[in-house]
Amino acid sequence: MADRDPMNLIRVARENGESAVAEPLDLGARVRELRKARDWTLEQAAKQAGLARSTLSKIENGQMSPTYDALKKLAVGLDISVPQLFTPPSKGQ
């Protein structure tokens, strides 16, 4: 516990047993990426998720931290799981 650097506290388990430090994820950019991958406007995505357009805009622009309820709505609206909101796309996606 000597090393309390936050970057060393986040570790990712690999299939081969090695661990690596996870890169911080920009949630707003990830939500925007998922929305654009579906070719949805901000209005369409907000309607699918049951959120106000302004709320979704603020989340995408990093002006607001979403509640867990908002994260659940986003995940349902995007037809993914909540953890997938925090998972960078794999290569080839």
Side-chain angles (χ1 to χ4, degrees):
M1 289 281 221
D3 189 3
R4 300 295 274 164
D5 179 7
M7 294 305 293
N8 288 329
L9 296 176
I10 302 172
R11 297 233 174 249
V12 177
R14 305 282 182 201
E15 287 181 21
N16 61 7
E18 294 178 14
S19 65
V21 175
E23 292 296 317
L25 180 83
D26 181 342
L27 179 63
R30 175 69 173 144
V31 170
R32 180 179 287 116
E33 176 184 297
L34 290 164
R35 173 177 64 81
K36 289 190 173 195
R38 287 157 178 75
D39 202 28
W40 288 349
T41 64
L42 202 55
E43 189 71 38
Q44 289 169 317
K47 186 175 180 179
Q48 276 295 126
L51 296 171
R53 187 198 57 77
S54 61
T55 299
L56 184 54
S57 176
K58 288 176 185 176
I59 291 169
E60 287 190 2
N61 290 306
Q63 298 171 347
M64 175 184 187
S65 295
T67 63
Y68 183 70
D69 188 49
L71 289 173
K72 286 193 306 185
K73 287 180 177 183
L74 274 171
V76 169
L78 293 166
D79 197 29
I80 60 174
S81 67
V82 172
Q84 286 176 296
L85 288 171
F86 297 95
T87 307
S90 59
K91 292 175 184 155
Q93 266 189 330

